[in-house]
Amino acid sequence: MPEGGVSAGVAARSVPMSQSPSRCQSASGPDMFRRAVGKTLGFVGFTIQYGCVAHCAFEYIGELVACSGPSMEPTITNHDVVFSERLSRHFYRIEKGDIVIAKSPFDPKMNVCKRVIGLEGDKVCTSSPSDVFKTHSYVPKGHVWLEGDNLRNSTDSRSYGPVPYALIRGRVCLKLWPPHDFGVLNKSPNGRIVKSS
């Protein structure tokens, strides 16, 4: 009988012990859920804030651009990395001789890197260097005339005409890569920039 009594006593004590952890777990479940939701919302909020800052930086300050193609040689060669600032575009401070990044008139998903040869109202030569007879045209209002420095291997305004100012994304002001070429960009090597009257 004493053995039975001990057994019954053990059984009687084991019931509240087994119930106690379940009450603790049920009480901490909502707390854990609230903490998880709070951390998730905090992370989402941080991501949105960071995204907004990054968007404003890229839209209004500038961006890094990796260039490809031969059209701007020798000034910019294949795989060069440049910094394109946006403030000049927003404040209408793009000038003749500037190198710009613009949306391609042929394909809005593609950017082109060209030099501004003429602004609105300028008379520009629309012929290639090899043409015997030279033709000229005036740049209409709200447009710019863009050409690559490598005139013999560049698709530019000589092919697609004046480019709307709104397609300009930024002005290239600095070459970052390769390291031995770090610095401001050279002037036009071909003398095609329209002189101010």
Side-chain angles (χ1 to χ4, degrees):
M1 279 298 195
E3 290 179 300
V6 172
S7 174
V10 171
R13 283 195 298 270
S14 65
V15 171
M17 288 176 65
S18 64
Q19 288 176 351
S20 178
S22 65
R23 282 198 298 270
C24 289
Q25 288 174 0
S26 63
S28 63
D31 290 340
M32 290 176 61
F33 177 74
R34 278 196 293 272
R35 267 189 250 117
V37 170
K39 287 182 179 179
T40 303
L41 291 177
F43 176 76
V44 170
F46 174 78
T47 303
I48 292 172
Q49 288 177 347
Y50 178 78
C52 291
V53 170
H55 170 75
C56 291
F58 289 139
E59 183 64 28
Y60 296 102
I61 298 175
E63 62 182 339
L64 301 180
V65 180
C67 300
S68 62
S71 70
M72 282 301 294
E73 292 177 352
T75 309
I76 298 174
T77 58
N78 209 23
H79 305 304
D80 282 358
V81 177
V82 298
F83 179 72
S84 170
E85 57 90 6
R86 301 284 180 87
L87 296 176
S88 295
R89 170 190 176 265
H90 287 297
F91 291 108
Y92 294 91
R93 291 290 185 262
I94 300 295
E95 299 177 356
K96 286 180 278 193
D98 287 344
I99 297 174
V100 298
I101 305 295
K103 290 285 185 185
S104 169
F106 288 148
D107 183 3
K109 294 180 181 178
M110 186 176 74
N111 293 328
V112 296
C113 180
K114 306 292 179 187
R115 192 181 294 274
V116 178
I117 302 301
L119 301 173
E120 60 179 56
D122 285 336
K123 183 181 180 181
V124 295
C125 177
T126 59
S127 309
S128 296
S130 58
D131 293 343
V132 176
F133 299 102
K134 303 299 181 184
T135 58
H136 295 81
S137 178
Y138 285 94
V139 181
K141 186 176 182 179
H143 289 67
V144 294
W145 189 269
L146 302 179
E147 291 182 5
D149 284 355
N150 186 1
L151 293 173
R152 297 185 185 279
N153 199 356
S154 174
T155 302
D156 46 41
S157 287
R158 293 170 297 159
S159 302
Y160 44 68
V163 176
Y165 191 92
L167 291 184
I168 295 177
R169 294 183 53 78
R171 181 181 71 91
V172 177
C173 60
L174 198 65
K175 185 188 287 191
L176 304 176
W177 188 267
H180 64 270
D181 278 342
F182 178 86
V184 295
L185 296 161
N186 297 328
K187 294 182 179 180
S188 174
N190 51 46
R192 296 262 302 176
I193 298 172
V194 176
K195 292 181 173 61
S196 300
S197 52

